[in-house]
Amino acid sequence: MSNNTNSVLALLLGAAIGAGVGILFAPDKGSKTREKIKDGFDDAKDNLKHKFEEASHQLRNKFSGAKYDLEETYEDLVSNMSHKTEDVISFLETKLADLKEQNAKLQKKQMAAQKENS
């Protein structure tokens, strides 16, 4: 954006210097000189407007690309988290089944010990 700002400032400065030199060395009547100055300012204004529109268009393109990248990254993250969640649930289900099996064995041992003690 700094390049665009410098270009605009250089353009405006050049237009002002050109208008000043044109007035000093103008062989035409005052009305013609004023018309030339007005045309010069109109050209500078149009050029400035074009540069602003171009910079605005470039910014929109960059932000829309960044938005797309952000949405894609978010979707990837959600997808990965979903897979990880499934992995964690499967792991926990396996551990729960193992713990239930160990608990059943311990209860059988306790029941057998209680029968022996009776």
Side-chain angles (χ1 to χ4, degrees), residues 32-99:
K32 287 186 179 182
T33 302
R34 284 190 296 275
E35 188 176 324
K36 286 181 182 179
I37 291 171
K38 181 182 176 294
D39 290 342
F41 280 122
D42 287 342
D43 289 344
K45 181 180 78 169
D46 290 341
N47 194 2
L48 180 62
K49 182 179 175 183
H50 175 72
K51 285 192 179 282
F52 177 76
E53 287 171 352
E54 184 179 314
S56 177
H57 179 70
Q58 288 174 353
L59 281 174
R60 271 191 227 112
N61 286 342
K62 285 182 181 180
F63 281 121
S64 69
K67 180 183 175 188
Y68 175 75
D69 289 345
L70 182 61
E71 288 172 352
E72 187 176 303
T73 301
Y74 174 75
E75 289 174 7
D76 288 346
L77 180 63
V78 168
S79 176
N80 287 338
M81 290 303 292
S82 177
H83 292 296
K84 296 290 183 190
T85 302
E86 291 297 322
D87 291 345
V88 168
I89 289 172
S90 295
F91 174 77
L92 290 174
E93 286 173 341
T94 303
K95 286 297 179 184
L96 181 61
D98 290 345
L99 288 173

